[in-house]
RNA sequence: GGCCCGUUGGUCAAGUGGCCUAAGACUCCGGCCUCUCACGCCGGCAACAGCGGUUCGAAUCCGCUACGGGUCACCA
């Protein structure tokens, strides 16, 4: 490609199930790269294998990308000038190109059945201990248009016998190919085999469809997972065979996302076994199946946090900045700073990212988001008070959905009291002290945080009580545990009546227990 | 097994021949703050896979070994 050409990249998943986070990251890097270069990001569906097609998977992919704000400029669901963007709708196109390769002697027909291939594999293994490869060294011993007479080939083709079209991989060519992340990679074509380009069911394989589509859609950069690195030589050879070398895209093979436990690449099956989601969204989305894999969205992640976390798995800016908005990512991203080695990810760090995004939100926003998790009790307070409550507890939250355990005491009086705290704080004189306190608070007109604090502190000072112990006893009465915001904030929000009633209730209950 | 890619603390990672007695973040552990928990602040534990070479000098360059991973389908 030339420098002044518009950058065009694509994300090309197969609709074989839910997209896992590795796929989302690949889409993200493609998107960032496109945005950064004022280029186009396309979404293409590679569904050439009908046997693995999973209904709903395509919608899942689109919905996942939408949730992440990784929006295609072109492609399935948005259209564009280079469609259709679903490979099964492009069948006739691939036929032409396969024919071109056949005509130029760069491909050939092969009639070997699965059984025959298996038999040959078995024979070679037992007789010579070799691994069978359909290549220059073996193709003459197989049933194909290279080993058979033209007449026979014509007959077999005419008889409706099933056949595939294989790429005729040149022998002994030293290839030096370039990867944007890994640099030069050298391979000898003799180690490569004659890959099937066209299947007997009339569909192309990934390799053919991918190269033809990338060429036709004017893709300039192929950014994909490292699992494709071994087929890069084949793809380069295909570009050469078609005579498209001049417009061949640049390749970038991204490091894999590894299982957090043990080794190996993260797979769809890992699911909830790991204790955190490996999918952006719950799967299946429609909940009609029994097996449900959880998603980041349903687990309470903000899409911005999810994206931020993913972006930093395999790339970093080289600075100490870790929190990036999408716009900042677009600005800072660079292929040169993508790491070469696979990354296991750290569930705790993922939560930390969400926490950072959560505390950056306004108290008003948190209050709004909290409503579904307040068990219908949100109307117990004025909206402004609810906002205040959220502001007081947001520091200790990873997810808004977990807010109830931080605020429950604002809505419900404690039914029991943390044993450890009772043991430590509840003294013989406590009940009478609390009775005194109630009398003092009773007279208080202004129940603001400040007035509560001033009043209680004055009383404690005059009586020469231990402030720490008194405050904690009050907390125990109001909350039932040693947690939560400042005790005077809690008093003020609960209000005089509730505070008095809770202290009275606690005094009764705890003395009975003790 | 063949081919290919990789290897800095538990994890993500900075580092592109001297500034490295190797940054930062997450986790963990201490301490401070403090009415509790959390936040915040301060501090701590903890790494250049090994061996050879190149060089005045190597985490950085080269080679070998080891280990890890990917891939070897009419799946993508």
């Amino acid at each position: 490609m030339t420098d002044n050409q518009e950058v065009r990249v694509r994300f090309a998943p197969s609709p074989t199930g839910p997209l896992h986070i590795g796929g989302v990251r690949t889409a993200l890097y493609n998107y960032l790269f496109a945005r950064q270069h004022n280029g186009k990001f396309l979404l293409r569906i590679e569904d050439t294998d009908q046997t693995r097609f999973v209904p709903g998977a395509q919608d899942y992919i689109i919905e996942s990308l939408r949730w992440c704000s990784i929006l295609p400029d072109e492609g399935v669901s948005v259209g564009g000038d280079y469609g259709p963007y679903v490979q099964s709708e492009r069948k006739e196109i691939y036929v032409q190109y396969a024919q071109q390769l056949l005509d130029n002697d760069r491909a050939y027909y092969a009639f070997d059945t699965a059984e025959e291939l298996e038999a040959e594999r078995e024979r070679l293994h037992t007789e010579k201990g070799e691994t069978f490869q359909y290549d220059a060294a073996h193709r003459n011993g197989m049933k194909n248009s290279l080993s058979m007479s033209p007449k026979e080939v014509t007959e077999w083709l005419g008889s409706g016998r099933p056949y595939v079209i294989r790429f005729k991989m040149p022998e002994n060519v030293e290839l030096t190919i370039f990867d944007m992340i890994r640099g030069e990679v050298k391979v000898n074509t003799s180690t490569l085999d004659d890959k099937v380009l066209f299947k007997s069911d009339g569909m192309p394989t990934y390799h053919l469809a991918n190269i033809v589509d990338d060429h036709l859609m004017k893709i300039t950069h192929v950014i994909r997972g490292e699992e494709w690195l071994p087929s890069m030589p084949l793809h380069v050879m295909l570009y050469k065979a078609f005579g498209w070398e001049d417009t061949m895209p640049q390749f970038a093979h991204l490091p894999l996302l590894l299982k957090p436990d043990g080794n190996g690449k993260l797979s769809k099956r890992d699911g909830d076994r790991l204790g955190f989601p490996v999918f952006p969204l719950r799967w299946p989305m429609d909940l009609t199946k029994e097996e449900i894999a959880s998603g980041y969205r349903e687990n309470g992640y903000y899409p911005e946090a999810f994206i931020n976390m993913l972006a930093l798995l395999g790339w970093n800016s080289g600075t100490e900045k870790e929190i990036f908005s999408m716009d900042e990512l677009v600005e800072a991203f660079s292929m040169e700073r993508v790491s070469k080695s696979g990354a296991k990810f750290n569930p705790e760090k993922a939560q930390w990212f969400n926490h950072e995004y959560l505390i950056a939100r306004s108290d008003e926003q948190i209050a709004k988001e909290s409503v579904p998790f307040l068990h219908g009790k949100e109307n117990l307070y004025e909206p402004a008070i609810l906002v205040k409550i959220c502001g007081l507890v947001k520091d200790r939250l990873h997810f808004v959905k977990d807010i109830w355990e931080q605020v429950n005491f604002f809505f419900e009086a404690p039914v029991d009291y943390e044993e450890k705290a009772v043991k430590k704080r509840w003294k013989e004189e406590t009940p009478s002290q609390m009775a005194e306190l109630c009398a003092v608070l009773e007279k208080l007109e202004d129940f603001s945080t400040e007035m509560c604090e001033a009043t209680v502190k004055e009383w404690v000072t005059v009586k020469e009580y231990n402030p720490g112990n008194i405050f904690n006893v009050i907390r125990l009465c109001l909350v039932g545990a040693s947690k939560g915001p400042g005790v005077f904030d809690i008093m003020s929000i609960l209000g005089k009546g509730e505070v008095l009633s809770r202290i009275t209730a606690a005094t009764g209950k705890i003395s009975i227990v003790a």
Side-chain angles (χ1 to χ4, degrees):
Chain A
M1 70 149 243
T2 52
D3 288 338
N4 53 5
Q5 201 176 339
E6 179 188 49
V7 165
R8 291 172 61 82
V9 299
R10 84 297 194 278
F11 178 55
S14 285
T16 55
L19 194 62
H20 73 73
I21 55 178
V24 177
R25 193 199 54 175
T26 300
L28 174 64
Y29 284 12
N30 270 283
Y31 176 81
L32 295 176
F33 190 81
R35 282 282 84 79
Q36 185 176 61
H37 293 92
N38 292 312
K40 293 281 190 292
F41 169 64
L42 342 201
L43 175 63
R44 183 173 74 217
I45 298 294
E46 310 220 327
D47 60 343
T48 53
D49 184 1
Q50 304 110 317
T51 64
R52 292 208 311 159
F53 178 80
V54 174
Q58 182 173 319
D59 289 339
Y60 178 95
I61 290 165
I62 293 168
E63 177 64 17
S64 294
L65 296 181
R66 212 169 56 85
W67 181 64
C68 295
S69 294
I70 301 173
L71 305 174
D73 301 297
E74 239 181 86
V76 63
S77 85
V78 287
D81 298 336
Y82 298 86
Y85 294 92
V86 176
Q87 290 186 328
S88 58
E89 295 169 21
R90 301 170 63 81
K91 264 170 94 169
E92 320 74 48
I93 298 173
Y94 309 120
V95 175
Q96 296 173 43
Y97 287 99
Q99 190 59 50
Q100 180 186 328
L101 255 21
L102 247 15
D103 294 343
N104 296 335
D105 193 32
R106 306 306 299 263
Y108 59 90
Y109 296 105
F111 302 96
D112 317 273
T113 64
E115 295 71 39
E116 286 166 342
L117 287 169
E118 186 47 45
E120 183 63 10
R121 208 158 290 175
E122 189 63 32
R123 189 187 67 84
L124 228 64
H125 185 73
T126 50
E127 287 180 16
K128 298 184 182 174
E130 286 175 20
T131 309
F132 172 74
Q133 191 166 265
Y134 209 120
D135 58 14
H138 295 97
R139 62 186 165 226
N140 280 32
M142 307 303 291
K143 284 210 188 68
N144 54 55
S145 56
L146 263 23
S147 62
M148 294 156 64
S149 71
K151 185 168 168 270
E152 201 178 6
V153 171
T154 311
E155 275 174 22
W156 280 38
L157 286 174
S159 73
R161 223 175 163 108
Y163 66 88
V164 300
I165 298 173
R166 284 182 184 271
F167 183 58
K168 191 175 169 188
M169 181 62 73
E171 215 177 342
N172 199 231
V173 176
E174 287 292 346
L175 255 192
T176 299
I177 54 188
F178 185 80
D179 180 271
M180 293 172 78
I181 294 167
R182 280 148 230 287
E184 285 186 352
V185 176
K186 292 184 165 72
V187 265
N188 187 302
T189 55
S190 292
T191 65
L192 273 22
D193 64 345
D194 293 351
K195 276 275 176 302
V196 171
L197 260 23
F198 221 89
K199 300 183 272 187
S200 55
D201 66 358
M203 284 293 249
T205 59
Y206 167 83
H207 303 291
L208 208 227
N210 191 266
I211 267 62
V212 167
D213 285 351
D214 282 347
H215 175 255
L216 260 24
M217 296 180 186
K218 297 197 160 60
I219 297 302
T220 57
H221 300 265
V222 170
I223 303 165
R224 64 208 332 184
E226 192 187 345
E227 69 268 27
W228 293 109
L229 192 53
S231 49
M232 179 163 69
L234 197 224
H235 296 171
V236 170
M237 290 308 289
L238 276 167
Y239 279 102
K240 290 184 187 226
F242 278 120
W244 298 336
E245 252 183 298
D246 294 348
T247 56
M248 184 170 80
Q250 282 204 256
F251 293 90
H253 289 91
L254 271 19
L256 263 15
L257 252 35
L258 274 14
K259 295 181 201 297
D261 60 338
N263 300 308
K265 74 170 170 174
L266 189 66
S267 75
K268 293 180 176 183
R269 266 188 297 282
D270 290 321
D272 290 55
R273 174 180 73 78
L274 303 169
F276 59 89
V278 298
F279 301 111
L281 272 38
R282 174 179 55 209
W283 173 264
M285 290 189 289
D286 59 12
L287 293 179
T288 52
K289 287 180 192 151
E290 274 183 28
E291 259 188 57
I292 292 170
S294 71
Y296 278 83
R297 182 176 66 184
E298 290 76 15
N299 276 41
Y301 279 84
Y302 291 121
E304 301 89 333
F306 174 63
I307 284 304
N308 196 155
M309 180 268 296
L310 272 186
L312 263 56
L313 231 39
W315 170 86
N316 77 85
S317 68
T319 70
E320 287 184 8
K321 184 175 167 68
E322 287 196 286
I323 303 298
F324 289 88
S325 67
M326 189 68 100
D327 286 344
E328 290 171 328
L329 284 172
V330 167
E331 174 83 14
F333 185 78
S334 81
M335 210 58 88
E336 290 71 41
R337 295 202 62 86
V338 171
S339 47
K340 295 174 167 61
S341 50
K344 300 181 183 184
F345 81 61
N346 183 326
E348 274 112 21
K349 186 92 186 218
Q351 297 199 346
W352 175 80
F353 272 110
N354 207 69
H355 171 75
E356 289 296 307
Y357 277 82
L358 191 154
I359 59 176
R361 303 210 154 199
S362 70
D363 299 348
E364 285 78 11
Q365 276 176 301
I366 304 287
K368 217 175 188 178
E369 294 166 12
S370 296
V371 170
F373 308 105
L374 297 178
H375 305 287
K377 296 188 161 71
E378 60 276 7
N379 293 325
L380 208 61
Y381 294 102
E382 296 287 314
I385 304 295
L386 200 58
V387 167
K388 195 174 172 195
I389 291 173
C390 291
L392 288 172
V393 303
K394 73 174 180 181
D395 269 350
R396 58 205 80 198
L397 278 181
H398 280 110
F399 303 100
V400 170
K401 75 176 174 67
D402 296 333
I403 197 165
W404 183 247
E405 60 194 63
Q406 300 300 335
V407 300
N408 54 2
F409 54 86
F410 283 115
F411 300 90
E412 295 173 338
V415 290
D416 44 29
Y417 302 88
E418 192 184 292
E419 209 175 306
K420 238 178 79 185
V422 171
K423 232 174 187 171
K424 187 173 175 191
R425 307 293 185 187
W426 205 266
K427 307 283 181 349
E428 213 177 316
E429 65 275 20
T430 302
S432 63
Q433 288 174 332
M434 287 302 106
E436 282 174 36
L437 175 64
C438 284
V440 172
L441 294 176
E442 190 78 57
K443 284 180 249 159
L444 198 55
E445 290 294 323
D446 175 2
F447 222 69
S448 67
T449 303
E450 295 73 23
M451 276 308 289
C452 286
E453 179 162 5
T455 307
V456 174
K457 280 189 172 166
E458 194 198 334
W459 166 69
V460 166
T461 310
V462 170
K463 293 287 186 170
E464 295 185 334
Y465 293 147
N466 175 338
N469 202 61
I470 292 291
F471 298 160
N472 278 299
V473 168
I474 301 174
R475 172 183 303 281
L476 191 57
C477 295
L478 301 181
V479 177
S482 24
K483 66 168 190 183
V487 76
F488 302 112
D489 283 314
I490 297 175
M491 285 175 73
S492 169
I493 286 169
L494 288 176
K496 193 205 279 189
E498 184 65 18
V499 167
L500 293 178
S501 123
R502 287 195 188 184
I503 293 177
T504 309
T507 313
K509 284 192 197 171
I510 296 179
S511 43
I512 292 166
V513 175

